[in-house]
Amino acid sequence: MTQITCPFCHSDNLVTLSPQQAGLGQLEVLLEAMSPAAMAALGVKLSRQLDIPPIVGGLIGVVVGGGLMLVNQQILSKYQSLNHRYLCNGCQNSFVSVAA
Protein backbone atom coordinates (compact mmCIF):
# COMPACT_ATOMS: atom_id res chain seq x y z
CA MET A 1 0.00 0.00 0.00
CA THR A 2 1.38 3.39 -0.94
CA GLN A 3 1.77 6.18 1.58
CA ILE A 4 -0.49 9.13 0.81
CA THR A 5 1.12 12.55 1.11
CA CYS A 6 -0.25 16.05 0.74
CA PRO A 7 0.06 17.26 -2.87
CA PHE A 8 0.62 20.83 -1.62
CA CYS A 9 3.33 20.50 1.04
CA HIS A 10 4.18 16.76 0.73
CA SER A 11 3.52 16.13 4.42
CA ASP A 12 2.28 12.74 5.56
CA ASN A 13 0.51 14.20 8.62
CA LEU A 14 -3.04 13.70 7.27
CA VAL A 15 -6.49 13.24 8.73
CA THR A 16 -9.24 11.35 6.87
CA LEU A 17 -12.43 13.42 6.72
CA SER A 18 -15.81 11.81 7.29
CA PRO A 19 -18.32 11.94 4.41
CA GLN A 20 -20.24 14.73 6.18
CA GLN A 21 -17.05 16.80 6.52
CA ALA A 22 -16.14 16.04 2.92
CA GLY A 23 -19.13 17.96 1.57
CA LEU A 24 -21.71 15.24 1.07
CA GLY A 25 -24.25 17.12 3.19
CA GLN A 26 -25.57 19.01 0.16
CA LEU A 27 -26.03 15.76 -1.73
CA GLU A 28 -28.01 14.27 1.15
CA VAL A 29 -30.32 17.31 1.16
CA LEU A 30 -30.92 16.80 -2.56
CA LEU A 31 -31.65 13.11 -2.00
CA GLU A 32 -34.23 13.99 0.67
CA ALA A 33 -35.97 16.27 -1.83
CA MET A 34 -36.36 13.26 -4.15
CA SER A 35 -37.61 10.92 -1.42
CA PRO A 36 -40.59 8.66 -2.11
CA ALA A 37 -42.79 10.81 0.16
CA ALA A 38 -41.84 14.02 -1.65
CA MET A 39 -42.35 12.39 -5.05
CA ALA A 40 -45.73 11.04 -3.92
CA ALA A 41 -46.81 14.55 -2.92
CA LEU A 42 -45.67 15.85 -6.29
CA GLY A 43 -47.53 13.03 -8.04
CA VAL A 44 -50.75 13.85 -6.17
CA LYS A 45 -50.43 17.53 -7.06
CA LEU A 46 -49.77 16.81 -10.74
CA SER A 47 -52.56 14.25 -10.95
CA ARG A 48 -55.08 16.76 -9.61
CA GLN A 49 -54.05 19.23 -12.31
CA LEU A 50 -54.39 16.55 -15.00
CA ASP A 51 -57.78 15.25 -13.73
CA ILE A 52 -56.33 11.85 -12.81
CA PRO A 53 -57.28 10.24 -9.48
CA PRO A 54 -54.80 11.47 -6.83
CA ILE A 55 -54.15 7.94 -5.60
CA VAL A 56 -52.74 7.03 -9.01
CA GLY A 57 -50.41 10.05 -8.98
CA GLY A 58 -49.34 9.23 -5.44
CA LEU A 59 -48.54 5.62 -6.28
CA ILE A 60 -46.58 6.63 -9.37
CA GLY A 61 -44.68 9.18 -7.27
CA VAL A 62 -43.80 6.55 -4.65
CA VAL A 63 -42.53 4.16 -7.32
CA VAL A 64 -40.48 6.87 -9.06
CA GLY A 65 -39.12 8.16 -5.73
CA GLY A 66 -38.18 4.66 -4.61
CA GLY A 67 -36.38 3.99 -7.88
CA LEU A 68 -34.49 7.28 -7.63
CA MET A 69 -33.55 6.49 -4.03
CA LEU A 70 -32.12 3.09 -5.00
CA VAL A 71 -30.10 4.55 -7.87
CA ASN A 72 -28.81 7.41 -5.70
CA GLN A 73 -27.79 5.04 -2.91
CA GLN A 74 -25.76 2.95 -5.34
CA ILE A 75 -24.07 6.04 -6.78
CA LEU A 76 -23.38 7.46 -3.31
CA SER A 77 -21.91 4.20 -2.00
CA LYS A 78 -19.67 3.89 -5.07
CA TYR A 79 -18.51 7.50 -4.61
CA GLN A 80 -17.75 6.97 -0.93
CA SER A 81 -15.84 3.74 -1.58
CA LEU A 82 -13.71 5.21 -4.39
CA ASN A 83 -12.91 8.68 -3.07
CA HIS A 84 -11.23 9.51 0.21
CA ARG A 85 -10.94 13.12 1.33
CA TYR A 86 -7.99 14.13 3.50
CA LEU A 87 -7.04 17.21 5.49
CA CYS A 88 -3.35 18.03 5.81
CA ASN A 89 -2.36 19.06 9.33
CA GLY A 90 0.73 20.77 7.93
CA CYS A 91 -0.79 23.28 5.48
CA GLN A 92 -4.53 22.86 6.33
CA ASN A 93 -5.45 22.12 2.70
CA SER A 94 -7.94 19.38 1.88
CA PHE A 95 -7.73 17.09 -1.13
CA VAL A 96 -9.29 13.96 -2.62
CA SER A 97 -7.37 10.76 -3.18
CA VAL A 98 -8.97 8.24 -5.50
CA ALA A 99 -8.53 4.62 -4.54
CA ALA A 100 -6.91 2.50 -7.21
Side-chain angles (χ1 to χ4, degrees):
M1 184 171 168
T2 61
Q3 178 70 23
I4 298 173
T5 59
C6 175
F8 304 103
C9 70
H10 305 290
S11 171
D12 60 351
N13 188 5
L14 306 174
V15 176
T16 304
L17 297 176
S18 69
Q20 195 71 19
Q21 293 170 320
L24 293 178
Q26 296 89 358
L27 181 61
E28 290 173 355
V29 170
L30 180 63
L31 295 179
E32 287 178 15
M34 294 188 298
S35 69
M39 296 303 284
L42 179 64
V44 168
K45 184 176 180 179
L46 289 175
S47 67
R48 286 184 179 155
Q49 291 178 352
L50 298 172
D51 290 330
I52 299 173
I55 189 76
V56 173
L59 289 174
I60 292 172
V62 166
V63 170
V64 170
L68 287 173
M69 189 172 66
L70 289 174
V71 169
N72 287 331
Q73 284 178 348
Q74 289 180 349
I75 292 170
L76 185 62
S77 66
K78 184 178 275 190
Y79 173 82
Q80 287 177 341
S81 66
L82 292 177
N83 296 323
H84 302 282
R85 190 154 190 86
Y86 298 95
L87 175 67
C88 177
N89 287 328
C91 65
Q92 297 300 312
N93 285 311
S94 64
F95 61 94
V96 174
S97 175
V98 179

